Amino acid sequence: MRHIAVIGAGITGVTTAYALRDQGYEVTVFDRHRYAAMETSFANGGQLSASNAEVWNHWTTILKGVKWMFRRDAPLLMNPAPSWHKYSWAAEFVRHIADYRANTIATARLAIKARECLFALAARENIAFDHQTRGILHIYRNRTGFAHAARVNALLAEGGLDRRPVTPDEIRTIEPALAEDYHGGFFTPSDSTGDIHKFTRGLADACERRGVRFVFDAAVGPIRHTATGVEIGWSDGRAKSDRAPPPETLAVDGVVICAGVASRAFAATLGDRVNIYPVKGYSITVHLDDDESRQAAPWVSILDDDAKIVTSRLGADRFRVAGTAEFNGLNRDIRADRIAPLIDWSRRLFPAMSTERVTPWSGLRPMMPNMMPRIGAGRKPGIFYNTGHGHLGWTLAAGTAEIVAAQIRATLPPV
Ligand SMILES: Cc1cc2nc3c(=O)[nH]c(=O)nc-3n(C[C@H](O)[C@H](O)[C@H](O)COP(=O)(O)OP(=O)(O)OC[C@H]3O[C@@H](n4cnc5c(N)ncnc54)[C@H](O)[C@@H]3O)c2cc1C
């Protein structure tokens, strides 16, 4: 039986490991943390959203970015300090404006397929992840935003998605908890939400039951080619350098890089260019401790396109609010001035919900300049990628895992 290593136990790594095991491979997953889903797949916006398939490569994103550049609470923030990677990535992002239409349609198609894969996995393995199937509601405060969304709708429809315009009155009926007035909205009944962390941990357990081996606390590197395959080197991520045990190695037939924002560095050592930039985002989890807050928080998932904020109701007593895009390298600090707008927004839209107990979090979206995940073989034999899912990794991962597993099967059959 051929043996494949997967680097990374986030949502992309664990779905990939499951798909490979299902195809009959021996699979070993490595992660530098002690548990699965401890980095970007920890506390994201929770939306399984084909309706959010629009890629960001559009002139309006650039104009908004420039306008917001010096506002510390802006939804999009670029640290202007010089960095070759940041500015070359931005230049490539601009070049891909030409692909906006095709990539938005392709992402919608992939998202629809991927959610079918994810629902099937959850049902097959009986994974509880606070899944809410009440749809996603996009809200707009002015005519300009609504008109742009109508143009996006035509592309989503080409990708096969049914997202319909709704009036201010319909918005109030769909989600009565929403305060403030809106120009209009779009509603996607087939979209849903859930806890990415619970799902990934549940699927990792299922993988183990099916015979996948997990090596945690393992800082992987280097990955080398040998005459017969690939050699994975790793050291104990917890060890102090003066008392560290010698690095360990494992010989495998192939490897899939699913290392989130670290994938770019791995690719560089393997002769591939996977130009991922870490685009930081923040979330808050509002703990709905009293009855009034539980009543006042919405059940339908909201996407506020002007504020670039998304929400998910994670069971009766948790409400997740996420957003902002910050270009500041691998910095993971949780900044108070970036968390405050999420709390203010929640107070304005859901005034009777208490924000007394709120857990803040930050994560790094592994973002390609064309906003499309990198799926498939590298230059050298036995090297594969399933990474770079950006702002839609939770939505897309179960689908891209199937794609990469099928490609591996075509070049390196399991037996
Ligand atoms: C604020 C925010 C909100 C979001 N909201 C949504 C949403 O609503 N819907 C949606 O679809 N997506 C959303 N996303 C995007 C989604 O969360 C990500 O695309 C997804 O979690 C990325 O998963 P991953 O497996 O690629 O990366 P990760 O989850 O980061 O996993 C990579 C793993 O690789 C491991 N690793 C890296 N280097 C090494 C090494 N050297 N050795 C060993 N292990 C290593 C890491 O420890 C990590 O566990 C959001 C992201 C953010 C930040």
Side-chain angles (χ1 to χ4, degrees), residues 162-174:
D162 176 22
R163 188 180 87 152
R164 61 181 166 87
V166 287
T167 63
D169 282 344
E170 286 173 301
I171 289 180
R172 266 184 284 280
T173 313
I174 292 167

Side-chain angles (χ1 to χ4, degrees), residues 136-151:
I136 292 183
L137 176 63
H138 288 230
I139 51 173
Y140 299 89
R141 291 180 179 74
N142 57 49
R143 187 195 297 262
T144 319
F146 186 75
H148 178 78
R151 288 189 290 275

Side-chain angles (χ1 to χ4, degrees), residues 8 12 31-33 40-41 44-47 218 220 390-395:
T12 56
D31 201 288
R32 59 187 167 198
H33 292 285
T40 315
S41 306
N44 76 356
Q47 290 192 330
V220 172
H391 71 309
L392 278 183
W394 175 216
T395 305

Side-chain angles (χ1 to χ4, degrees), residues 75-89:
L76 197 150
L77 193 70
M78 173 102 130
N79 177 346
S83 142
W84 168 248
H85 184 205
K86 185 168 51 194
Y87 287 105
S88 60
W89 186 94

